[in-house]
Amino acid sequence: GAAANRSARELALAIRRAQNMSLAVTQVETLAGPRIPPAIGLRLARDAETFFFFADLVRDNKYGGEIVPEEDDIRLSAADEMFEGGVRVRSLAYYDQLDRRQSAPVVHIVFAAPEAVVALTDEDGDSIGESVEIELATRSGQLTKTVTVRTSGQVSIK
């Protein structure tokens, strides 16, 4: 249970870190030289034990890969961030316009400068509504923690 608790807290802190990076107007290195990205994001995938930060250089609210590094999105660290002790993302869920719970294989949490406006999107960069629930589970699957992120900027753990 301790690993799930720590992983949930670390994820909440990572979300705040992305928000702070957006507010700080941090430059990133590209092949064309330093650039200030219009947005900073976090990419999470279902069943993954990792996540990563990215600079959304094309401002499409998703991680699009580094096909052309001077134009496309850039990962902000060499290695992915790992959850502790085998904790993984069990599910990524949101509520549609009819208030039905939906599942997503990938979620992006993107903060746009200069005011760190929050966008919650799926793998295609399409909006998934006002909140996303990220359920973390231990290796056995018996212990879980849920991190909820809202477009208002609120991050909660339960």
Side-chain angles (χ1 to χ4, degrees), residues 44-66:
L44 296 133
R46 186 175 52 225
D47 295 324
E49 295 181 4
T50 64
F51 62 92
F52 63 85
F53 295 95
F54 66 95
D56 185 5
L57 296 176
V58 295
R59 192 59 181 102
D60 57 0
N61 290 328
K62 66 178 178 131
Y63 176 72
E66 300 174 31

Side-chain angles (χ1 to χ4, degrees), residues 21-22 24-28 30 33-40 55-57 113:
M21 289 167 65
S22 174
V25 194
T26 306
Q27 288 189 20
V28 297
T30 70
R35 280 187 60 190
I36 297 172
I40 301 290
D56 185 5
L57 296 176

